[in-house]
Amino acid sequence: MLVAPSILSADFGKLQKEIEAICDAGCDLVHIDVMDGHFVPNLTIGPVVVGAAAKAATKPLDIHLMVENNTFFTELFAPLKPKYLSFHIEEEKHPHRLIQKIKSYGISPAIVLNPHTSPKSIEYILEDIDMALLMSVNPGFGGQSFIPSTLKKIEILRKMIDGAGLKTLIEVDGGVTDKNIHLLKNAGADIVVAGNYIFSSPSYKKAIDSLRA
Ligand code: DX5
Ligand code: ZN
C-alpha cells in the first residue's frame, strides 16, 4: 500500500518543515488539494504555495484538483511537474481531451470520482489514465468520516481494472485511518491519502507505517 499524506491538515505556518517531515518519514507521494471555492465550498492554495511545497518535497507530488475550470488549472500547475494530476469527472465535459493534454506535459493523468459517482462513468477511459481516485468523503475538507459505500466501489473498480488487464492504480481519499486501512486493502486499493490521521499523530513515521502495513 502506498501512502500519500494530504498537506491540507499540515501546519501551514511551517509548511516547508511539515513537507520535509512527511518525506523523511517515508511517504510515497505528497498529496496537494487545490480547491477553488466554486466546485467545493472551500478555497486552498495556488501555484505560488504549491511551488514552495514542490521545492521542499523529496517525494513526487500528487495534485488533486477540486475546481470548475480543469483546463485552466492544468495549465497553471503543469509547470510544477507533479507525478499525478487528477481532475473530477463530475466537472469535465471532455475528459478524454483533458487526459491527452495532461499527458502532453509528461504528467500521469488521474480521474477523481465523488461518493455518488459510479465507476461505470469512467469505463471507456480507464485505459487512458494511470490512476482512479475514489473520494471516500465529500471533497472540500479534511478530518471527515469515511463513507462505507466506498468499499463496494473499490471492489467494483478493482474487478473492472483487473478484468481489462489494466495497470490503473486505485487511490482512496478521505477519512482513512489505521481502523479502516485493512478494509481498503482487502477491497483492492493501491494508494491511500490521509491528512488528519497522519498530521494529528505524534509520529508521522508511525502513522505512515501503520497505513502501509
Ligand atoms: C478532501 C481532500 C482530502 C483530505 C483528506 O477534499 O481531498 O485529500 O485532505 O483528509 P482526511 O484524511 O483528513 O480525511
Ligand atoms: Zn485530496
Side-chain angles (χ1 to χ4, degrees), residues 4-9 31-35 40 42 64 66 88 112 133 135-146 172-177 193-198:
S6 159
I7 63 160
L8 192 59
S9 294
H31 185 85
I32 310 239
D33 291 301
V34 173
M35 307 183 188
V40 287
N42 198 2
H64 173 191
M66 283 160 273
H88 274 260
V112 197
L133 169 49
M135 289 309 299
S136 40
V137 298
N138 287 297
F141 302 94
Q144 303 180 80
S145 300
F146 181 83
V172 180
D173 184 3
V176 173
T177 69
V193 176
N196 186 56
Y197 174 69
I198 292 173

Side-chain angles (χ1 to χ4, degrees), residues 55-130:
K55 268 193 191 158
T58 53
K59 300 292 169 67
L61 299 192
D62 171 28
I63 298 184
H64 173 191
L65 297 179
M66 283 160 273
V67 301
E68 278 189 351
N69 191 337
N70 285 307
T71 302
F72 170 76
F73 281 91
T74 294
E75 287 164 359
L76 208 54
F77 287 99
L80 300 176
K81 295 270 173 238
K83 178 167 175 60
Y84 295 104
L85 187 62
S86 58
F87 64 89
H88 274 260
I89 192 74
E90 300 86 7
E91 195 54 48
E92 185 50 51
K93 289 196 183 83
H94 301 286
H96 187 271
R97 178 180 292 148
L98 183 57
I99 288 165
Q100 307 314 318
K101 188 180 186 73
I102 294 171
K103 280 185 178 169
S104 76
Y105 291 110
I107 299 167
S108 297
I111 290 186
V112 197
L113 274 61
N114 268 339
H116 73 282
T117 304
S118 168
K120 282 258 173 209
S121 64
I122 56 168
E123 185 175 4
Y124 297 106
I125 43 175
L126 207 44
E127 63 188 279
D128 299 302
I129 56 176
D130 291 308

Side-chain angles (χ1 to χ4, degrees), residues 2-21:
L2 300 181
V3 181
S6 159
I7 63 160
L8 192 59
S9 294
D11 179 346
F12 272 71
K14 47 172 187 165
L15 188 58
Q16 184 185 348
K17 283 202 162 51
E18 290 276 71
I19 291 174
E20 286 167 0

